Amino acid sequence: MSDKPKSLNFLEHIVEEDLKNGFPKEKLRFRFPPEPNGYLHIGHASSICLNFGLGERYGAPVNLRFDDTNPVKEEQEYVDAIKGDVEWLGYSWDTERYASDYFQQLYDWAVILIKRGKAYVDSQSSEEMAAQKGTPTEPGTNSPYRDRSVDENLEFFEKMKEGHFEEGTHVLRAKIDMASPNMLMRDPIMYRVLKKAHHRTNTDWCIYPMYDWTHGESDYIEQVTHSLCTLEFAMHRELYDWFLDQVYNPSKVRPKQREFARRNLSHTVVSKRKLLQLVEQGVVNGWDDPRMPTISGLRRRGYTPESIKNFADTIGIAKRENLIDVSLLEFHVREHLNKIAPRVMGVLDPVKVVITNYPEGQEEWLDAENNPEDESAGSRKVPFSREIYIERDDFREEANRKFFRLKLGGEVRLKNAFIIKAESCTKDADGNIVEIQCAYDPKSKSGSGTEESLRKVKGTLHWVSVKHAFAAEVRLYDRLFTDESPDTHKDKDFMEFINPDSLKIVTGYLEPSLKEANIGDRVQFQRLGYFCVDPDSTSDKMVFNRTVGLRDTWAKIQEKA
Ligand code: ATP
Ligand code: MG
């Protein structure tokens, strides 16, 4: 990460203020609270970096807490994926917790609330309850069950728990104020009947606590000091505090909820529900499809944890929502891979070049530097022979003076090799160029120190030796959505903006050193971009993913030097 001293964000200022007012630093504790109903995405990365970043800054423990109160949507697969992603980002949690660990405690507290007349069982339908909610400007109406006796409430609540009632017939509600200007305070639901097995508690429970009742109390049980969540919970803060008031013991730490803005990334959606839709409808090949903005998708695409953390650091924490351009994320991965990725050569759209004055059957292995940004990366040997491939796009029969690649009568340097001059080309019946004939200057070998080797020519091309190159599948990705903000249109569903060309598969011809690459290895194909080895690779066929091109082709932001 960067060495620059970071300025504090507004949440860090809140913590600093608490410390200044005498709160003991050793009591600070944070949590990251994902619901295991999908894979983590780049928006979560901001929350992870925020919470674990606070932990690092203050040497405070951070819990990983699964907010698992809705068995209908939650699964063990998601729990495992979330843990893997947080670890991969390089963070370690203090303890792994589950809201479901607290089901009994929450139930016991709910019984206490009933006994104190602070909660009641409502036996109306959800439609009836909705009709009584009122509007932001008009108060709601009390439920006819609001004044049930404590004994009756206790009996009904127990029966709910024991499975006597069907879903939707009874709920437990907090008895607060049906006239509160905050609609969330109008007797919010604390429990509902759900006859669904839970991925951890199995069929132990058939009533499940609601988010608001669970979250603050879980923070309290864990003695979390600062419970940081996104802005849509700002209105929930009053309820968070009300629920805490019911159980708070002044000898303990009282958690405080504070809110920050959700991070949205352009040309994608950051919502587990919508990402699930992409997976279920087969728009992508799973949660870790390299086009997905999930942590696992980015990992498979070739992103490094550092690049994601630097991105999160750069955008920081905000009080208001805005759209972050995906090119900023790409900038950060490019910047990191430039430092660490070995350079190699591969040709993705080949045309054959025959070096007519190079002896047939001869080959030589030339020195090639692995990374000009990192001397310690050393060098490798690349084979050169009479027949090579270059990119089709790098040759023109005729071109103006601004075309620095190969043209008839013109010269270029082959990277790590020789200067060649194009003399003629052959075409097929349709006029497509099938072969280019060139002459090479044997004295111009790169690094040989001769006068010819130092001669400057305008263009340098990447290439591979036909005889030595091997074919691999190369997956070229583009943005998943054509629209910058696909899920913000009132009249159109986000699925209407799927980019039909988000994946293009080509056969690339790669230098032989790449045969040794392992799954996940990241390289720069010179002049083309950064690529990594996909887990779909087999011993017969390697598969490479393009992480990002060398330059921002969409040119949305200016790359800062
Ligand atoms: P989703 O809508 O994708 O399911 P969520 O907020 O319901 O998101 P949770 O699993 O509840 O997902 O989120 C865990 C934590 O990550 C929460 O504190 C949440 O506020 C935070 N978070 C989720 N999405 C973002 C985002 N886009 N930007 C910043 N923080 C986020
Ligand atoms: Mg959620």
Side-chain angles (χ1 to χ4, degrees), residues 33-35 37 44 67 211 232-233 262 272:
E35 182 182 357
N37 62 345
H44 292 112
D67 225 325
Y211 173 89
E232 70 271 22
F233 292 104
R262 218 164 240 280
K272 282 177 280 182

Side-chain angles (χ1 to χ4, degrees), residues 214-233:
T214 312
H215 204 89
E217 318 309 278
S218 302
D219 288 336
Y220 181 59
I221 293 168
E222 292 173 22
Q223 290 287 281
V224 164
T225 52
H226 297 79
S227 177
L228 310 174
C229 60
T230 34
L231 279 176
E232 70 271 22
F233 292 104

Side-chain angles (χ1 to χ4, degrees), residues 4-71:
K4 286 175 266 164
K6 270 197 319 183
S7 58
L8 299 185
N9 65 46
F10 75 96
L11 294 170
E12 289 162 343
H13 275 296
I14 291 174
V15 177
E16 288 293 325
E17 198 59 30
D18 289 339
L19 294 176
K20 224 166 62 198
N21 292 334
F23 188 85
K25 183 162 167 257
E26 61 281 4
K27 285 201 172 171
L28 287 177
R29 183 180 279 274
F30 306 93
R31 91 287 174 262
F32 171 64
E35 182 182 357
N37 62 345
Y39 282 55
L40 297 179
H41 50 63
I42 187 72
H44 292 112
S46 277
S47 177
I48 294 169
C49 292
L50 168 68
N51 286 297
F52 285 94
L54 283 162
E56 282 173 0
R57 175 181 285 269
Y58 296 105
V62 184
N63 286 347
L64 175 62
R65 181 191 326 131
F66 291 96
D67 225 325
D68 56 346
T69 54
N70 184 359

Side-chain angles (χ1 to χ4, degrees), residues 13 20 65 100 108 114 119 121 136 175 179-180 247 249 278-279 282 287 315 343 349 373 381 449 512 532:
H13 275 296
K20 224 166 62 198
R65 181 191 326 131
S100 56
D108 294 343
I114 294 174
V121 173
K175 197 184 218 173
S180 171
V247 301
N249 168 343
L278 295 172
V279 173
W287 285 96
I315 63 176
R343 274 55 170 169
D349 181 16
E373 303 285 322
K381 297 277 188 189
C532 73

